[in-house]
Structures are given as C-alpha cells and as structure tokens.
Amino acid sequence: MGLRYDTISFLSDYGLGDEFVGVAKSVIRSVAPEVAVVDITHDIAPHDVRAGGLALARSAQYLVPGVVLGVVDPGVGGSRRAVAVEVGDGASVLVGPDNGLLAPAVAMVGGASRAVELTAEQYHLVSLGPTFAGRDVFAPVAAHLCMGAGLDDVGTPIPVHSLTPGVVPVSRVEGERVHAEVLWIDRFGNLQLNLDPADIDRLGDELRITSGGVGRNVRRVVSYSDLASGELGVLVDSYGLVAVAVNRGSAALELSCVEGDSITVEPGGSGSPTPATPVQLQPKRSEEPA
C-alpha cells in the first residue's frame, strides 16, 4: 500500500460544454468519495499540450499536496504511454499522458523521484473503446492512488529519464535586443513572455518592444496602476516573469498577438511611450450551419 491523499487537482482541455469533466469527476467519486477535486482549469485549447503544461507549471507550487490529474491527450488510444510520476519522494503524484504535459510541473517542483507506466488494468474501467482515457484510465488510477494504492500497484516502473520532456521556448539575446515568445495570454489580455526580469535589467526602464514588425516605446513599471489608462507597458507578473500589459485594456488586442508569437525587447528609442488605441469589441456572430 502507498500513501493516501485527500485532494486531486484536475486540469484538462475538455471544456465544460460536454459531459467529459463531470463523468471523470463522478468516476473519481465512485472510487474515492471523500476526496476533494480541485478544478485547475478545463479551458486549455483542444490538444494544446504546451499550454496545458505551462498552466500546470504556473500552478504547481500552489497546489495542495496530493494527486495532480492532467489530461491534454491528442495521442489518446495511440502509442503514447499513460504514466504516474511521483515528486517530492511521495508528496504528490502526477497522473496523465506521457506527452510532455506533466514535464514542466515536474521540473518546477524539483524533478521526479519515481515513475510508472499505468499497466495494471484492474485499476482501469472496462471500456468499449480507447478514446476516453481520462475517464477509463487516468481518473480511476488517480482515485485509487488517493485510497492507498501504491505506484507499483498501478503500473510498471520506468526510468524517470525516459519521460517525454516538455517544450518550453528559450529566449535569445542578440546584442542589446532580446528575442522572446508569448508564453501565455490571460483573460485580461496580458502577455506573459519567456523572460526573467534579469533578462532585460540591462536594457533600462525605457524600452521598445516590437511585434509583427511594429515597434512601440514602452515604460517598465511595477504595477498596472503605474500606467496611464490605455498605456502599454512592461512589468513583472505574479509568476515572476516579464509581461506586457495595458492598463484597463488588452495588450493582446493592441498588439494583435497570440500565444507563440515572437516579441523583441530592446532599449527604448526617442519619443514618449505609445498609448494603446481603444479597441471596440464586436458581438460574436452566430456561426451558420454548414
């Protein structure tokens, strides 16, 4: 028998429009009725393993010790492994597909101490098809781990170095220009970049950012309120990374950026910081049937 856990933290790309999340949570409850399930998010874009991995990494140090259930699984039913990864010598176990989804969070909390491939089918649900591993494999295994099943009970040991690594972009420096990438856009339109504050400290407080070939002069500030309403600026976000923001507006809309876009940061040119242009949001048109 292994340790018992009282919390499962659950992330997926299932959304809430279908029954997938509710069914997976009901499977958990049928095995471990006293376990609390914390929904990290279910709004990861479909099949976006990188976005799911980054969300887990941002969340990892704040999650209650226990089981982390991550399901963003475009390879479901294929050759990718289903795994459980122990971290902190048993403080927590991450359960999900071995496709890079779990790797950033594992790295964030100090690396894996053990890992198994989920081969013990007595801990799975009997399924009519292989396309809903979140319901049939990952959710029941997560629940059984909470109830005291050990890692060796639910699977076959595998080397931790064989786990699929996550794909996290690295910034690049060319002289006084830093090439970054948009890691994440939150619901307010703030752009989180793959930059530590130290990466741009040498560039000063008056900066120039370029996205899509268009450059903007911006200020480096401490908080949103240090910017005038509608002004574009650069600050350190709550996760300790460099972010581009607009006070009471959306930097993503202002710069026409999506996650994965490139942004360069360099010392500012002449002239004042560039105010953002107000963007009028239009109601979304209903899609016509095909």
Side-chain angles (χ1 to χ4, degrees):
M1 294 290 287
L3 299 173
R4 295 175 71 95
Y5 304 99
D6 62 6
T7 305
I8 293 174
S9 299
F10 187 12
L11 172 145
S12 77
D13 62 349
Y14 289 157
L16 297 176
D18 297 299
E19 71 274 16
F20 306 139
V21 171
V23 166
K25 291 169 73 171
S26 289
V27 168
I28 290 169
R29 186 170 175 81
S30 71
V31 175
E34 302 302 319
V35 168
V37 179
V38 175
D39 295 297
I40 303 171
T41 181
H42 299 293
D43 283 337
I44 301 299
H47 315 307
D48 195 339
V49 173
R50 191 184 85 152
L54 291 171
L56 281 179
R58 290 192 300 269
S59 307
Q61 61 185 312
Y62 304 104
L63 297 178
V64 175
V67 176
V68 177
L69 171 59
V71 189
V72 181
D73 195 14
V76 63
S79 60
R80 66 93 186 96
R81 297 181 296 190
V83 296
V85 183
E86 180 188 84
V87 297
D89 292 319
S92 292
V93 178
L94 290 84
V95 175
D98 181 29
N99 59 6
L101 174 68
L102 308 179
V106 170
M108 182 65 68
V109 297
S113 40
R114 287 194 297 156
V116 298
E117 183 175 359
L118 303 180
T119 53
E121 295 185 359
Q122 65 268 35
Y123 292 97
H124 306 173
L125 295 187
V126 176
S127 173
L128 297 176
T131 63
F132 197 175
R135 177 195 66 193
D136 301 331
V137 179
F138 301 129
V141 166
H144 282 293
L145 288 169
C146 288
M147 296 303 291
L151 240 61
D152 292 334
D153 297 321
V154 300
T156 305
I158 56 175
V160 295
H161 62 77
S162 73
L163 294 168
T164 301
V167 179
V168 178
V170 178
S171 60
R172 187 175 85 258
V173 178
E174 290 182 353
E176 288 196 317
R177 180 175 293 173
V178 180
H179 296 267
E181 184 171 312
V182 178
L183 289 180
W184 176 46
I185 300 174
D186 68 18
R187 72 184 304 269
F188 300 102
N190 301 311
L191 310 178
Q192 184 183 73
L193 307 182
N194 60 332
L195 295 177
D196 185 272
D199 295 330
I200 62 170
D201 282 345
R202 63 190 178 84
L203 303 182
D205 292 334
E206 301 297 325
L207 302 170
R208 187 168 181 81
I209 61 173
T210 302
S211 172
V214 178
R216 308 290 183 93
N217 293 329
V218 301
R219 292 188 296 133
R220 186 171 176 181
V221 297
V222 174
S223 68
Y224 305 117
S225 61
D226 293 332
L227 297 167
S229 182
E231 182 185 353
L232 197 66
V234 171
L235 48 74
V236 178
D237 70 11
S238 61
Y239 296 98
L241 294 177
V242 173
V244 183
V246 172
N247 186 14
R248 300 180 184 273
S250 168
L253 289 174
E254 173 63 23
L255 297 174
S256 298
C257 277
V258 297
E259 292 173 1
D261 277 358
S262 297
I263 286 184
T264 60
V265 185
E266 58 193 320
S270 59
S272 302
T274 306
T277 303
V279 177
Q280 182 69 36
L281 296 178
Q282 300 294 331
K284 183 178 179 181
R285 294 188 304 170
S286 299
E287 293 184 1
E288 296 181 359

